[in-house]
Amino acid sequence: TPDIPLEIVEKLRSARRVAALTGAGVSAESGVPTFRDAQTGLWERYSPEELATPEAFRRDPKLVWEWYAWRRELVSRAEPNPGHYALAELERRVPEFTLITQNVDGLHRRAGSRNVVEYHGNIHRTRCFGEDRIVEGREDAGEVPPRCPDCGGLLRPDVVWFGEMLPPGAVERALEAAESCELFLSVGTSALVQPAASLPYVALDGGAMVVEINPERTPLSGSATYTLRGPSGEMLPALLEAAWGQESRR
Ligand code: APR
């Protein structure tokens, strides 16, 4: 197993409050494509502006809806990987653990994480584009996108598109966790998209140790206290193993 610097292990064992920010890289080992990885990234074929904006939805609601329906189908076949399970285990071992995820795939909750801030929403929830509120059922009259049963407006995935407001409360909860934690893990994110990308710096300003877990360098790498250069599916279980030994195995 990868060797983890002792300082990180001791910090993990002693910390009262730990926060983690996850990105698409955490779900990569579950077979869910990331956005910006070369060749395999979702943005390889489409640009974010073409699909993940309100303008794109107004321009071509069918294309945008079908792209999310394809991703939802892909995700529903995916399983959480050891990285997701390790984060759920971490929540059970640390007095106060906040998981802030940019991922909309719901895999953290499926792995058992409970205190999850869904910073960019959740692809499994649907919202009425007009009324801007969650819609449970929908008349599947085969129309794409389906229509809101109350107002007849178009339905959309309950995810945050570029240029949109984040879910109410998510910004505050994430900021509070980043400001008050002693250890902040930035896992599987390219650290490019705001405001999520500012959270590790808030943690640094608050005196926390920031550990980045990513096989590649990112703009955060130079500022992080430590970087564990490798896949989260290996690094996160190794982190738990180093801190709590055998009993941390599932
Ligand atoms: N383990 C850890 N990290 C990995 C792995 C892995 N197995 N595989 C890839 N990565 C890293 C990549 O090196 C990259 O830095 O995951 C990161 C994925 O970056 P992005 O594809 O940009 O995904 P993310 O950071 O989550 O994007 C942020 O941008 O498109 C918007 O709203 C969307 O939430 C998304 C946001």
Side-chain angles (χ1 to χ4, degrees):
T1 54
D3 60 333
I4 308 286
L6 194 56
E7 295 83 354
I8 301 179
V9 175
E10 283 166 354
K11 179 62 81 174
L12 187 55
R13 278 209 200 102
S14 65
R16 271 205 57 71
R17 303 194 63 164
V18 175
L21 170 68
T22 63
V26 169
S27 296
E29 291 159 87
S30 297
V32 179
T34 62
F35 292 95
R36 295 172 182 81
D37 276 337
Q39 277 79 47
T40 59
L42 290 166
W43 298 141
E44 195 69 17
R45 282 199 312 282
Y46 295 102
S47 76
E49 290 67 29
E50 273 175 296
L51 287 168
T53 64
E55 295 72 29
F57 186 74
R58 282 194 197 90
R59 189 174 53 246
D60 192 340
K62 190 168 179 308
L63 171 70
V64 174
W65 177 270
E66 285 181 342
W67 183 64
Y68 279 95
W70 168 72
R71 286 180 59 199
R72 197 168 32 245
E73 157 63 20
L74 194 78
V75 160
S76 54
R77 286 199 311 264
E79 289 298 322
N81 67 62
H84 293 107
Y85 288 117
L87 286 166
E89 176 68 17
L90 206 45
E91 181 175 359
R92 289 189 280 270
R93 289 188 173 276
V94 167
E96 289 182 48
F97 183 76
T98 303
L99 177 58
I100 305 151
T101 187
Q102 300 172 89
N103 300 341
V104 296
D105 56 31
L107 288 176
H108 284 304
R109 287 187 197 283
R110 277 179 52 194
S113 290
R114 292 208 304 274
N115 187 16
V116 181
V117 180
E118 291 182 328
Y119 212 60
H120 289 165
N122 184 316
I123 201 168
H124 302 290
R125 281 197 305 269
T126 302
R127 225 160 72 208
C128 170
F129 190 67
E131 297 165 305
D132 198 22
R133 60 178 188 76
I134 301 294
V135 171
E136 295 307 331
R138 70 180 94 102
E139 40 197 84
D140 246 340
E143 209 181 336
V144 176
R147 295 253 166 210
C148 172
D150 303 296
C151 77
L154 292 179
L155 295 185
R156 56 166 287 176
D158 185 30
V159 300
V160 178
W161 283 332
F162 289 96
E164 290 192 315
M165 297 287 289
L166 272 75
V171 172
E172 293 75 15
R173 279 174 66 196
L175 200 55
E176 198 279 328
E179 280 167 346
S180 58
C181 68
E182 296 137 78
L183 174 61
F184 188 98
L185 307 173
S186 178
V187 194
T189 180
S190 56
L192 291 169
V193 173
Q194 294 299 346
S198 62
L199 292 169
Y201 297 95
V202 168
L204 278 171
D205 291 348
M209 174 190 283
V210 171
V211 177
E212 176 179 63
I213 297 178
N214 195 320
E216 317 276 335
R217 274 189 69 75
T218 75
L220 174 65
S221 302
S223 309
T225 323
Y226 294 94
T227 53
L228 300 177
R229 194 63 71 224
S232 47
E234 282 171 36
M235 286 297 174
L236 286 167
L239 197 51
L240 263 84
E241 173 112 357
W244 291 293
Q246 293 312 318
E247 75 265 27
S248 75
R249 284 195 186 291
R250 284 188 56 69

